[in-house]
Amino acid sequence: MKKDFSEKAILFFKKLNPNFNLPKDVSFLLPYDSSDVKILIRNFFLKYYSDQRERTFIFGINPGRLGAGTTGIAFTDPVQLEKVCGIENSLLKKPELSSTFIYTVINEFGGDEKFFSNFFLTAICPVGFVKNGKNLNYYDDPTLIKSCKSFIHDTIQRQISFGVNRKIAICLGEGKNFNYFKKLNDELKLFKEIVKLPHPRFIMQYRRQKINYHVQQYVRTMDKILTT
C-alpha cells in the first residue's frame, strides 16, 4: 500500500542526521533529536498530511532558532503551532518574525486546512546553523555551503518523494537563496519553474510598512498556482 505524505515526512524528520563537518565556531540547530519535538512533528503531519495529495513546495533558507529550530516544523513557532494549528506544546511561547508573517498569509489564504492541503513548507537546508548565538544561513559561509551541498541535494530529493507538484516550486528569498536554488534545480531538474518571493524575515525587518502588500503578493502567487 502506498504511504501517505504524512508517513513519509515523519520518517524523514525522524532519521534526519547531517553527516558533514562544520566550520569552526558553527554548530547545528537540530531539534529533531528531542522526543518532544518528534511528537509535535508527528501530530502536525498526521493532522494536515494524512493523504496522498501532491503539494506545491515552498522553500525557505534553513531553520531559525525560534521557529523550526524549536518546533521542528518550518516557519512555525510554538505560538502559531498551538494557537493556529491547535497542537499544544510546552515550548517557550516566543514568537518568530517569519512565522508571524507566514501565518498571517495562511489566514488570508483561507486558513490552515486549506493551506496545508495544498502546500508544504520546507527549506533548502532542513537543518539550521548557529554562530556566536545567532542564526547562520547556509550560504553565508563558503566552507559551510561547500560542506552541506551533498546533504542539501539528498534531502531535497528525499522530500520530493513525499508527493510534490513538479511543475512549480516557490522560493522564499529573492537573492542568494534563489540563486542557489536555481543553480541546484538546473543541475538536478527538480521543478519546471521556480517562483521567487521576498523572504518573510526581510519583509518583517525592512518592509514592515508594506506587510499587507506582501501578504497579498503571497496569496496571489498561491492562488495562481492552484488555478493554473
Side-chain angles (χ1 to χ4, degrees):
M1 183 180 293
K2 187 178 179 181
K3 289 184 178 180
D4 285 351
F5 191 112
S6 62
E7 295 176 272
K8 296 176 183 178
I10 291 166
L11 184 61
F12 170 81
F13 287 107
K14 182 179 180 180
K15 294 188 174 183
L16 190 60
N17 182 32
N19 55 358
F20 55 91
N21 296 322
L22 294 175
K24 184 180 179 181
D25 299 326
V26 176
S27 58
F28 285 116
L29 188 58
L30 194 64
Y32 311 106
D33 291 336
S34 164
S35 57
D36 289 341
V37 169
K38 287 178 181 178
I39 292 171
L40 295 178
I41 290 172
R42 179 177 178 80
N43 290 343
F44 176 83
F45 281 104
L46 288 178
K47 177 173 183 176
Y48 294 114
Y49 292 90
S50 291
D51 55 55
Q52 297 175 4
R53 288 172 57 92
E54 290 186 348
R55 266 78 172 183
T56 298
F57 279 33
I58 302 176
F59 289 90
I61 300 169
N62 46 243
R65 289 172 297 123
L66 302 179
T70 296
T71 64
I73 301 165
F75 291 101
T76 303
D77 61 31
V79 178
Q80 304 297 340
L81 185 60
E82 188 163 302
K83 179 181 176 182
V84 179
C85 303
I87 298 175
E88 294 183 1
N89 62 85
S90 59
L91 301 172
L92 179 65
K93 300 302 187 294
K94 190 171 183 179
E96 184 204 41
L97 289 177
S98 292
S99 181
T100 299
F101 177 82
I102 286 293
Y103 276 83
T104 301
V105 170
I106 288 173
N107 180 66
E108 185 69 18
F109 180 68
D112 53 319
E113 295 285 350
K114 180 183 177 182
F115 178 83
F116 292 119
S117 67
N118 290 287
F119 295 93
F120 172 59
L121 292 165
T122 185
I124 298 298
C125 184
V127 298
F129 310 98
V130 176
K131 184 175 183 179
N132 299 324
K134 296 182 179 180
N135 293 329
L136 179 69
N137 297 325
Y138 71 88
Y139 52 68
D140 283 337
D141 185 300
T143 302
L144 176 60
I145 196 170
K146 184 177 180 180
S147 296
C148 68
K149 179 180 178 180
S150 294
F151 177 76
I152 287 175
H153 286 204
D154 175 65
T155 51
I156 287 181
Q157 289 175 313
R158 284 163 57 195
Q159 288 177 86
I160 283 175
S161 72
F162 298 173
V164 62
N165 171 15
R166 299 290 290 268
K167 295 179 182 178
I168 193 167
I170 298 174
C171 178
L172 304 186
E174 299 175 299
K176 293 180 180 179
N177 199 43
F178 174 75
N179 292 337
Y180 183 87
F181 190 26
K182 184 179 184 304
K183 184 177 179 181
L184 182 152
N185 192 58
D186 289 343
E187 180 180 343
L188 300 182
K189 310 298 182 186
L190 302 171
F191 303 97
K192 290 183 179 179
E193 181 183 359
I194 300 173
V195 175
K196 59 183 177 180
L197 289 169
H199 194 277
R201 175 163 283 279
F202 176 78
I203 294 169
M204 296 295 277
Q205 283 188 317
Y206 302 108
R207 294 182 178 174
R208 188 175 285 268
Q209 73 279 10
K210 294 185 177 180
I211 286 178
N212 186 60
Y213 166 81
H214 288 295
V215 167
Q216 297 306 320
Q217 179 187 21
Y218 269 59
V219 171
R220 285 195 304 271
T221 299
M222 294 187 296
D223 281 338
K224 184 177 179 180
I225 288 172
L226 294 187
T227 56
T228 301

